[in-house]
Amino acid sequence: MKKLAAAIFSALLLLLPLTACTKETDARAERVRDRYAAPLAYAAAAEVALAGETEDVRCTLRFDADGTETRVTVLAPELLAGVTACLGEDALRLEYDGLVLNAGGPIGGVNAVSCVPLALRAVGEGWLLERGEEDLSYGGGTVRALRLRFESEADGHTIETAVWFGADDTPLYAEIAENEKITAYMEFTSFAFCDIIK
């Protein structure tokens, strides 16, 4: 009987760190969701890859969001560097070298211009499916990251978004899946929250 009691006690001791870790992960996941649920102002740069039917599209983009509009500027490839798309709630504009083209209503779906805003919006508004911590290859090394996976909507279609966060709760990497196939990959090379002036 003493051996059985000792075995049960040992098993309970092993479970305590797991329970604490889960509670900490849950609390952190809620803190991250709350931070991203507010109108989000940020400056970020990300290497974006979109899985196409015939070939992948790769580019490096800068994102400047003020809570109502997001300016997306192409950094690479060099041929398109400087082209800017402005995503608002009800309009899309393209800008280059002082010229402005009203591109009509907002674009829907997952594409290079919208993938980062969609991923960050999913964090604040999406349905949380999974949360956990894992090692992520990032910046030439390995970092411990909080991984959150969400279900949300883009252009009337259901998408799933996974986002990995660093110790400061800024995004390091994200993926968007449509119809159970990953279609967009984003590796953040920089991210900073900005204050929204009211």
Side-chain angles (χ1 to χ4, degrees):
M1 187 67 166
K2 287 183 180 180
K3 288 183 181 180
L4 178 61
I8 292 173
F9 182 72
S10 296
L12 288 174
L13 287 178
L14 290 174
L15 288 176
L16 284 176
L18 294 175
T19 305
C21 180
T22 301
K23 286 181 182 178
E24 289 173 17
T25 302
D26 289 348
R28 184 171 174 211
E30 288 307 313
R31 184 180 70 234
V32 168
R33 287 185 54 106
D34 288 346
R35 175 65 178 104
Y36 287 79
L40 202 56
Y42 61 89
E47 295 175 6
V48 174
L50 300 173
E53 301 236 345
T54 56
E55 65 179 290
D56 289 352
V57 174
R58 295 183 182 280
C59 54
T60 303
L61 305 171
R62 177 172 173 82
F63 298 83
D64 295 287
D66 65 8
T68 57
E69 183 178 77
T70 303
R71 295 178 59 83
V72 184
T73 304
V74 178
L75 302 177
E78 193 169 329
L79 179 64
L80 298 174
V83 173
T84 300
C86 297
L87 296 168
E89 290 182 17
D90 53 3
L92 169 67
R93 297 186 322 271
L94 297 177
E95 300 177 3
Y96 182 73
D97 200 24
L99 299 173
V100 178
L101 173 67
N102 184 344
I107 57 173
V110 180
N111 55 59
V113 172
S114 69
C115 64
V116 165
L118 283 173
L120 297 179
R121 188 181 78 203
V123 175
E125 299 175 7
W127 180 264
L128 182 61
L129 301 174
E130 291 177 10
R131 66 186 132 239
E133 292 188 6
E134 61 187 45
D135 291 333
L136 175 70
S137 295
Y138 178 79
T142 302
V143 296
R144 191 73 178 161
L146 172 68
R147 178 184 180 269
L148 302 177
R149 189 169 68 90
F150 304 91
E151 183 178 282
S152 60
E153 191 175 286
D155 197 30
H157 295 64
T158 300
I159 61 172
E160 288 189 5
T161 304
V163 184
W164 287 256
F165 295 91
D168 59 356
D169 296 337
T170 60
L172 303 174
Y173 186 80
E175 298 174 344
I176 294 178
E178 300 173 272
N179 299 320
E180 299 182 3
K181 179 184 175 191
I182 297 174
T183 57
Y185 306 85
M186 295 146 272
E187 182 171 342
F188 292 83
T189 54
S190 68
F191 188 94
F193 291 108
C194 303
D195 292 331
I196 297 177
I197 299 173
K198 295 183 179 183

